[in-house]
Amino acid sequence: IRDRFSIGAAAYTEKHPESPTLKEDLENMLIKFEAGTDFLITQMFFDNETYYKYVTLARNKGINCRIIPGIIPITNYRQINKFITMTGATIPDALAEKIMSYKDNPDKIYQTGLDFTIQQCIDLLEWGAPGIHFYTLNKSRATIEIYETLPKKLKN
């Protein structure tokens, strides 16, 4: 039956909010991997360096399955603040300042989030990420725009 199904698991590039340390979180990830995980999808993150570091640490632990970055386009100020609080994800200062300055302008927030996410995805894919998982929250417009833009911007 394993040839017809695969097993995915969640990963947290900045550690699970209930885990005391990233090291302990990776120990738990190794248990998931050794139990048969075929691929991992990360929780949302906004700093690609956290993903690159996480992948390196996972590989050093022997976790050699695909680690697919989980990306969420920022489209709403209140919503993204809620998710950051829930997940413990951090936003780079420059992006946080930009979003804060546009908090009362939904169109600017949307465009800023879209532009940032496009650049984030380009960097991830050119680095060698095995794909991208988009968190759309049942609002796919931004993801569709990103998907349509990426082929035009990637170096191949």
Side-chain angles (χ1 to χ4, degrees), residues 4-154:
R4 299 171 82 190
F5 293 93
S6 61
I7 298 171
Y12 292 80
T13 61
E14 299 179 76
K15 82 174 184 60
H16 188 281
E18 295 176 8
S19 184
T21 65
L22 181 59
K23 182 179 182 199
E24 188 173 314
D25 196 55
L26 281 161
E27 291 293 332
N28 289 325
M29 189 56 56
L30 181 60
I31 292 168
K32 290 181 191 181
F33 174 71
E34 290 175 341
T37 296
D38 297 308
F39 65 94
L40 301 169
I41 297 176
T42 73
Q43 180 55 269
M44 65 177 190
F45 61 89
F46 301 96
D47 181 351
N48 288 0
E49 290 303 317
T50 64
Y51 171 79
Y52 304 145
K53 177 184 172 186
Y54 185 84
V55 170
T56 299
L57 291 170
R59 298 292 183 250
N60 289 342
K61 279 245 176 259
I63 301 168
N64 60 12
C65 62
R66 289 174 293 146
I67 302 175
I68 302 165
I71 303 299
I72 186 169
I74 297 171
T75 58
N76 180 291
Y77 178 77
R78 240 182 272 127
Q79 183 181 58
I80 203 64
N81 280 328
K82 178 182 173 185
F83 289 129
I84 288 168
T85 301
M86 285 174 24
T87 65
T90 57
I91 292 185
D93 291 339
L95 178 61
E97 288 171 21
K98 201 172 204 183
I99 288 171
M100 180 65 172
S101 72
Y102 296 140
K103 73 179 181 177
D104 297 321
N105 187 332
D107 291 337
K108 286 279 198 182
I109 292 275
Y110 182 89
Q111 193 59 53
T112 299
L114 195 71
D115 293 342
F116 176 83
T117 306
I118 289 168
Q119 291 307 310
Q120 183 181 27
C121 290
I122 289 168
D123 185 62
L124 287 163
L125 293 169
E126 289 180 349
W127 181 83
I132 305 282
H133 173 83
F134 287 101
Y135 293 101
T136 64
L137 308 172
N138 296 322
K139 296 177 182 176
S140 60
R141 186 177 119 215
T143 301
I144 290 168
E145 289 182 52
I146 293 163
Y147 178 78
E148 290 173 345
T149 301
L150 284 176
K152 302 171 199 164
K153 300 215 176 216
L154 284 168

